[in-house]
Structure formats: C-alpha cells, structure tokens
Amino acid sequence: VQRMEAMLEQFVPLWNELDTIDETLCVLEPSHPTRSDVFRRIAIGGHCSLLVTLNVSRPRSIPECQFLGAEDRVAAHREKFALAPQEWTPDRSVLENLERILKTSFPRKKDGHDEESAMACGICYAFHLDGAAPHTACNSCARPYHALCLAEWLRSVPSTRRSFDTLFGACPYCSAPIRISAAPK
C-alpha cells in the first residue's frame, strides 16, 4: 500500500496544475476530465482555443500547445508562444506562464463567459458532435465548424468544387473561401 501511495504521490503536482486550470478557466475539452486526462482545450476568445498537453513527469515545464481557430487569429499567439523557451519560468504555474507569455488573460469561469456556446459549430450549433468539438474554422470570420458538418454543408451547395479529396466552397456565414477534406475524420 505504501508503494502505491508513493507512486501516486508523484502525480500530485500534475493534478494540481490541471485542477487549477479546471477550476479557473473555461475548459472546452474534456467535458468530464479524469485523472488520466493530461490535456485541456481552453477557450482563448474570438472563436479560438488552445489545446494544452502537460508533461506528466514535469508538469510545470513548457507544455505541448496547439492553437485552434482561424489562422489570422491564432498566428499572433503562435508567434508569442515561440518565445516560450526563453521566457518560461518553471517555478510559476502553467496558467501563469501561458498568460504572461501570450500577454493575455484567458476567459474565467467566474466571469460568466459561455465560451462553449461561442465555440459551437456554426452549422449544427452544438459543441460536441459524436464526442468531437469543432476544429475547423473560417479564416475570415473565424466561425468554428465540425469537419463532418462543413463537409456535408459544402456537398449540398452546387457551387462547391471538388479536387481529389478536398472540397472548396464558401463559408456558410461570411461566404469567404473555405476548404475541407471530402472524407473528414
């Protein structure tokens, strides 16, 4: 029993970091996190989100980060995060480091933000579809879409073109050019 307790004790710093994120921020995914989930998709605002995956053995080290949303809206965040190795401070929490490096304050739960509805698919108006969140966004209006919804929408529009395995059409909201795999996963 003591060996098991000692083994679990090594995960406490990881769980503390994740608990801080869960209690403070608008977490989009996982909707019901467990202790085995070492990632969080958090709302940034403006139909953008950040998928953060923590290092299990060093939870306060620089996490793996993937910015999701329209390219023109997440590009600035990517550029700032590229400086993370020089600016990351391991004695600060992951949340503090991310906000400091990205020079932003993430939407808080207590602020009453309904980021999940802001990140809902622009076609089906749901956040989760078969367990998946919207990961495709229009580069013009930043409206997020489920890949399945957008592919089905584009197939129904007569002006959509198909080239190999890609559908090219217009965003349902702003009519800007948009493309998606014809066989989304």
Side-chain angles (χ1 to χ4, degrees):
V1 173
Q2 290 177 340
R3 280 178 63 193
M4 182 60 99
E5 286 177 351
M7 187 184 303
L8 289 175
E9 190 68 29
Q10 70 182 347
F11 297 110
V12 169
L14 170 71
W15 294 334
N16 288 341
E17 289 293 322
L18 292 169
D19 287 345
T20 299
I21 292 170
D22 291 339
E23 293 164 4
T24 309
L25 303 180
C26 295
V27 177
L28 304 172
E29 290 183 295
S31 53
H32 303 289
T34 64
R35 291 296 191 197
S36 63
D37 295 319
V38 297
F39 72 95
R40 295 295 185 269
R41 182 174 174 198
I42 56 177
I44 297 176
H47 298 299
C48 297
S49 61
L50 173 61
L51 182 62
V52 179
T53 304
L54 300 186
N55 182 320
V56 174
S57 59
R58 296 180 310 144
R60 285 200 164 189
S61 64
I62 301 172
E64 179 183 323
C65 290
Q66 181 180 3
F67 294 91
L68 305 167
E71 184 59 34
D72 64 332
R73 298 198 184 192
V74 297
H77 292 300
R78 279 196 195 107
E79 288 174 14
K80 291 175 190 171
F81 187 72
L83 301 174
Q86 294 91 359
E87 297 186 26
W88 196 268
T89 308
D91 52 328
R92 291 186 178 184
S93 72
V94 170
L95 175 57
E96 290 173 319
N97 271 305
L98 286 173
E99 288 187 324
R100 187 174 51 81
I101 289 169
L102 297 176
K103 295 173 178 52
T104 190
S105 181
F106 298 122
R108 302 292 203 251
K109 277 186 176 180
K110 65 178 170 82
D111 294 341
H113 290 282
D114 187 4
E115 286 298 321
E116 188 167 301
S117 65
M119 294 295 299
C121 174
I123 296 172
C124 73
Y125 299 108
F127 181 69
H128 282 83
L129 178 68
D130 297 331
H135 285 289
T136 303
C138 172
N139 283 332
S140 181
C141 69
R143 178 72 59 181
Y145 301 103
H146 294 112
L148 289 170
C149 293
L150 185 58
E152 188 175 328
W153 173 276
L154 290 175
R155 280 191 202 99
S156 71
V157 177
S159 61
T160 299
R161 297 181 342 267
R162 181 179 181 143
S163 178
F164 297 101
D165 196 30
T166 304
L167 296 171
F168 297 88
C171 171
Y173 273 80
C174 70
S175 299
I178 196 165
R179 66 181 176 162
I180 187 91
S181 169
K185 296 171 180 126

